[in-house]
């Protein structure tokens, strides 16, 4: 007879690994964020303060950075939904070998380092890049795109799009094409079929893809660091500066944990909102 402790013994190694790689570092970072910081000697272990969190929540400099981070992440998520969901729908309706070819095209960016892709976009969007070269051909002067929010958004969409396409495509695999045909045979319009049959079925994929894209975009470092420059900062680049430039580790930890909590609040709220509408649509 199986003991009640058997599941715990079987999952014990995974739980220990999870605690060692995630819980313990987060706990240490949380403790560090409350340490007193002395510019001459660094963090003081055993001395605690709330000054770092007070600075993050009251300083307009950090307010602006958090606002920029979240609106860029939200816009990137919206663009990925608008582009990735139709792309996944087309992918699900294709037959081999074209389905495999398009799937490879979608996944190909994941095979290249994000740093390499960022440098590639910097070359394309630079003053002498291919994009400005095309604009000159049509009579438009060079446009400043590098080190702007536009460059960051374009590159983030390119990096994050596969994380939207794959969950939506997976959800579409569970949809029977005969249900759509039945709706069309009953004189439902293609738009009505898409809205009443297809969309409710792919909502779990859109939800999971949106959460993944938003979370990764909000915590992205390489793209904002390389394409945003030193003036266009996002939260991850501020954490990097506090740790390695200012050497103010407690403040950097406070900013990082604030981003984590804000991310969780936004993602859980979005999850509840979309799931509520999804259940209402199915009901």
């Amino acid at each position: 007879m199986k003991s009640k402790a058997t599941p715990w013994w079987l999952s014990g190694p995974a739980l220990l690994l999870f605690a060692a790689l995630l819980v313990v570092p987060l706990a240490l970072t949380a403790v560090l964020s409350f340490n007193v910081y002395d510019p001459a000697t660094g963090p003081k272990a055993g001395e605690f303060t709330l000054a770092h969190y007070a600075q993050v929540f009251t300083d307009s400099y950090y307010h602006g950075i958090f606002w920029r981070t979240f609106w860029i992440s939200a816009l990137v998520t919206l663009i990925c939904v608008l582009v990735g969901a139709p792309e996944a729908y087309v992918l699900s309706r294709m037959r081999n070998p074209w389905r495999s070819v398009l799937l490879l095209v979608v996944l190909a960016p994941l095979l290249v380092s994000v740093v390499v892709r960022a440098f590639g976009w910097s070359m394309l969007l630079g003053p002498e890049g291919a994009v400005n070269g095309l604009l000159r051909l049509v009579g438009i002067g060079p446009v400043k795109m590098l080190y702007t929010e536009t460059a960051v958004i374009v590159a983030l969409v390119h990096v994050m799009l596969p994380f939207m396409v794959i969950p939506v495509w997976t959800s579409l695999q569970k949809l029977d094409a005969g249900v759509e045909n039945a709706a069309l045979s009953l004189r439902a319009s293609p738009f009505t079929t898409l809205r009443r049959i297809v969309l409710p079925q792919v909502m779990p994929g859109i939800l999971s893809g949106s959460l993944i894209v938003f979370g990764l975009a909000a915590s992205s470092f390489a793209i904002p660091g390389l394409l945003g420059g030193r003036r266009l900062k996002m939260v991850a680049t501020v954490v990097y500066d506090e740790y390695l430039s200012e050497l103010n580790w407690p403040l950097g930890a406070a900013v990082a944990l604030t981003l984590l909590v804000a991310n969780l609040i936004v993602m859980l709220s979005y999850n509840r909102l979309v799931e509520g509408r999804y259940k209402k649509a199915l009901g």
Side-chain angles (χ1 to χ4, degrees):
M1 186 176 180
K2 185 172 69 173
S3 171
K4 292 182 179 180
T6 301
W8 292 103
W9 284 110
L10 293 175
S11 59
L15 292 175
L16 290 175
L17 183 63
F18 175 79
L21 297 181
L22 183 64
V23 177
V24 173
L26 279 178
L28 294 176
T29 303
V31 173
L32 176 63
S33 68
F34 292 102
N35 284 155
V36 172
Y37 173 72
D38 185 347
T41 60
K44 294 184 176 181
E47 298 184 26
F48 301 101
T49 180
L50 295 174
H52 308 302
Y53 286 99
Q55 183 175 348
V56 172
F57 285 105
T58 58
D59 194 332
S60 59
Y61 170 75
Y62 294 103
H63 295 169
I65 289 174
F66 272 92
W67 168 247
R68 180 186 297 123
T69 299
F70 285 121
W71 82 256
I72 287 179
S73 302
L75 182 58
V76 168
T77 303
L78 177 61
I79 296 174
C80 286
V81 170
L82 296 178
V83 176
E87 185 176 349
Y89 183 78
V90 172
L91 179 63
S92 69
R93 292 296 179 264
M94 296 181 74
R95 296 184 179 181
N96 286 323
W98 297 111
R99 176 187 292 179
S100 300
V101 172
L102 184 57
L103 186 60
L104 181 62
V105 171
V106 171
L107 296 178
L110 299 178
L111 304 178
V112 182
S113 169
V114 66
V115 176
V116 175
R117 283 178 280 175
F119 275 117
W121 278 109
S122 67
M123 296 176 64
L124 288 173
L125 301 177
E128 303 299 327
V131 176
N132 270 314
L134 292 175
L135 293 177
R136 289 191 187 96
L137 290 178
V138 297
I140 302 176
V143 178
K144 179 178 174 54
M145 290 176 285
L146 195 60
Y147 306 131
T148 64
E149 293 169 344
T150 301
V152 174
I153 291 170
V154 170
L156 282 176
V157 169
H158 174 242
V159 171
M160 302 301 170
L161 191 59
F163 297 103
M164 176 62 67
V165 173
I166 298 305
V168 177
W169 178 63
T170 304
S171 296
L172 284 167
Q173 299 307 298
K174 303 175 184 178
L175 177 62
D176 187 0
V179 179
E180 293 182 68
N181 295 330
L184 293 172
S185 67
L186 293 173
R187 298 184 178 181
S189 66
F191 177 75
T192 301
T193 303
L194 184 65
R195 181 174 61 88
R196 299 291 298 273
I197 305 262
V198 178
L199 188 58
Q201 295 295 324
V202 301
M203 282 307 296
I206 293 177
L207 172 61
S208 58
S210 300
L211 295 178
I212 294 172
V213 170
F214 183 87
L216 291 177
S219 58
S220 177
F221 168 73
I223 296 295
L226 295 174
L227 296 178
R230 300 300 301 169
R231 294 185 178 181
L232 186 65
K233 292 183 180 294
M234 292 177 65
V235 175
T237 55
V238 170
V239 174
Y240 175 86
D241 289 341
E242 294 296 340
Y243 267 90
L244 296 182
S245 297
E246 303 296 330
L247 298 180
N248 191 343
W249 294 6
L251 181 57
V255 175
L257 287 177
T258 302
L259 174 64
L260 174 62
V261 173
N263 252 340
L264 289 175
I265 293 174
V266 172
M267 294 169 70
L268 290 175
S269 301
Y270 177 76
N271 181 47
R272 177 168 295 185
L273 175 65
V274 175
E275 274 196 344
R277 292 189 176 183
Y278 169 68
K279 292 178 180 178
K280 184 177 179 180
L282 290 181

